[in-house]
Amino acid sequence: MAELGAELESLRSEVKQQRDSLTEAKKHEIELRRQKREIEQQKEDLALTVQRTVDTERQKIRAEASQSVTEQFRLQLAEKDRVLKDTQQKLDAAQRASEKASQQLQGDVQEADLATILCGAFPRDEIVRTTKGQNGADVVQHVRDGRGQDCGTILWESKRTKHWSDGWLPKLRDDQRAEHADVAAIVSTTLPDGVTHCGERDGVWIASPAFAITLAALLRQQLVEVSHARVARNGQQAKSALLYDYLTGPQFRQRIQAIVETFTDMQKELQREKFSCVQRWSKREKRIARLLENTVGLYGDVEGISGAALPELATALPSAESAEAEIAHLLS
């Protein structure tokens, strides 16, 4: 019985140990499960943290990349804007240069045309164009009269612009004083206010291209008249001496002889024509007298035959003296 009790006690002790071991194992399993859950939770937290970190870094990278792309794009736009601006400036400069060159070309064409029409209208005058780059007016016209004498100078300035400038006037007056010219004129496609086709402004004549020749004719006529009046006033004594020498010289005598000879020849020719006419008239007079005489004789014969039935003729035959007097009256 003692052995059985000891064995039972041993079994009880063994069962207790197993029970304790099982309890301990359960506790250990619970702890392991808890740790597992914690580890899984930590993993999930770590994954979430990593995902958040990745997302944050990704957004940061995207932001930096976007900023970099934006900055790069902005720089590219700035470079393009700079290139466009430089190109536009170059185009504007080229256009201004082209317009300036075109205006210069148009001005040269109008200047050459002005010189050409002046040469054609006034072939006696000396028309000179100013060389490009030299100071002075565009065209200088030295007026000559019919004898080739210098009567004065006209300065011409040619303008072909869109707007009139009063600054042209003092510059042309300076050129006039430097050239010692008598008259200054501007031919412009654009006229100042108050000038329709042609007019005077501050000592300078202004005209449109269509009235340039008219103005030139009036100005040169005035210069010629003033020059002749000046010569007549200043050279009266010299002219008197020249006139005396001419009247007493052989040229005047030869002129008079030529006039007298011509007059004598004309008088002789007229006398010959007069004599020829008198001869023709005398022949006609004799034929007419013979005709009248025969007519009167015929009338007398008829009257002798018919008696006094015919009326007497009242017409008398003209005498030779009366015919000569009539001829002399006609010749006078």
Side-chain angles (χ1 to χ4, degrees):
M1 287 295 291
E3 292 179 1
L4 183 59
E7 186 177 356
L8 183 60
E9 185 65 27
S10 176
L11 288 173
R12 287 178 180 173
S13 177
E14 185 177 352
V15 170
K16 182 179 180 183
Q17 289 179 355
Q18 291 180 355
R19 188 178 298 164
D20 292 338
S21 297
L22 181 60
T23 301
E24 186 67 25
K26 288 182 179 179
K27 289 181 180 180
H28 184 66
E29 183 181 358
I30 293 172
E31 181 66 23
L32 290 176
R33 289 182 180 276
R34 184 185 64 79
Q35 292 179 357
K36 183 179 179 181
R37 286 195 301 272
E38 289 179 357
I39 291 172
E40 290 178 354
Q41 185 67 36
Q42 289 177 358
K43 288 182 179 181
E44 292 178 359
D45 293 342
L46 180 59
L48 181 60
T49 302
V50 171
Q51 187 64 38
R52 288 176 179 176
T53 303
V54 171
D55 292 341
T56 303
E57 292 298 327
R58 185 178 297 170
Q59 292 178 359
K60 183 177 179 181
I61 292 172
R62 287 178 179 176
E64 291 177 354
S66 177
Q67 183 177 2
S68 177
V69 172
T70 303
E71 182 67 17
Q72 185 177 3
F73 184 70
R74 188 185 66 81
L75 292 175
Q76 291 178 354
L77 288 179
E79 291 177 358
K80 291 182 179 179
D81 292 339
R82 180 62 181 272
V83 172
L84 290 175
K85 184 177 180 181
D86 293 342
T87 304
Q88 186 64 39
Q89 290 177 352
K90 292 179 180 179
L91 289 176
D92 294 340
Q95 184 175 1
R96 288 192 298 269
S98 176
E99 291 177 354
K100 184 177 181 181
S102 177
Q103 290 178 356
Q104 290 178 352
L105 178 60
Q106 293 175 0
D108 292 341
V109 170
Q110 180 170 308
E111 177 184 333
D113 182 66
L114 175 61
T116 301
I117 61 177
L118 288 175
C119 290
F122 313 109
R124 293 192 184 94
D125 296 350
E126 180 184 0
I127 311 298
V128 180
R129 288 186 62 188
T130 303
T131 306
K132 287 300 180 183
Q134 292 183 353
N135 294 328
D138 295 331
V139 180
V140 181
Q141 180 181 3
H142 299 285
V143 178
R144 306 281 192 268
D145 61 7
R147 295 174 296 176
Q149 299 296 323
D150 190 2
C151 297
T153 304
I154 304 175
L155 288 188
W156 294 94
E157 189 76 17
S158 177
K159 298 296 182 183
R160 191 175 182 178
T161 58
K162 296 180 181 180
H163 304 286
W164 169 265
S165 175
D166 289 333
W168 298 337
L169 302 178
K171 187 265 181 185
L172 186 56
R173 289 196 297 269
D174 292 339
D175 294 338
Q176 180 183 358
R177 286 188 289 268
E179 189 70 26
H180 302 289
D182 299 279
V183 186
I186 294 178
V187 178
S188 175
T189 54
T190 304
L191 302 179
D193 295 337
V195 178
T196 304
H197 301 292
C198 180
E200 189 266 344
R201 177 71 60 85
D202 297 338
V204 176
W205 286 94
I206 304 168
S208 63
F211 283 79
I213 294 302
T214 303
L215 177 60
L218 295 175
L219 293 178
R220 73 180 308 278
Q221 180 181 359
Q222 183 181 11
L223 289 179
V224 171
E225 292 178 356
V226 170
S227 177
H228 288 176
R230 186 184 302 113
V231 171
R233 184 180 66 251
N234 296 335
Q236 266 186 337
Q237 295 180 353
K239 283 188 175 182
S240 299
L242 291 175
L243 181 60
Y244 177 78
D245 293 339
Y246 176 73
L247 292 176
T248 57
Q251 186 178 1
F252 178 74
R253 184 174 64 255
Q254 293 172 0
R255 293 283 188 185
I256 295 299
Q257 288 177 354
I259 294 174
V260 171
E261 290 174 358
T262 304
F263 178 76
T264 302
D265 293 339
M266 292 177 63
Q267 191 175 29
K268 289 180 180 179
E269 184 179 358
L270 181 61
Q271 193 68 26
R272 286 194 299 269
E273 292 180 357
K274 177 180 177 180
F275 291 157
S276 177
C277 289
V278 169
Q279 290 177 358
R280 290 197 302 271
W281 290 346
S282 178
K283 292 179 182 179
R284 291 177 184 175
E285 180 186 8
K286 290 179 181 180
R287 288 198 297 269
I288 292 173
R290 191 179 303 114
L291 178 62
L292 288 175
E293 184 177 356
N294 291 325
T295 303
V296 172
L298 177 61
Y299 187 84
D301 293 340
V302 174
E303 186 180 14
I305 296 173
S306 61
L310 294 176
E312 295 183 357
L313 291 176
T315 305
L317 186 64
S319 62
E321 291 78 5
S322 62
E324 291 180 358
E326 183 67 21
I327 294 172
H329 175 69
L330 292 174
L331 293 176
S332 61

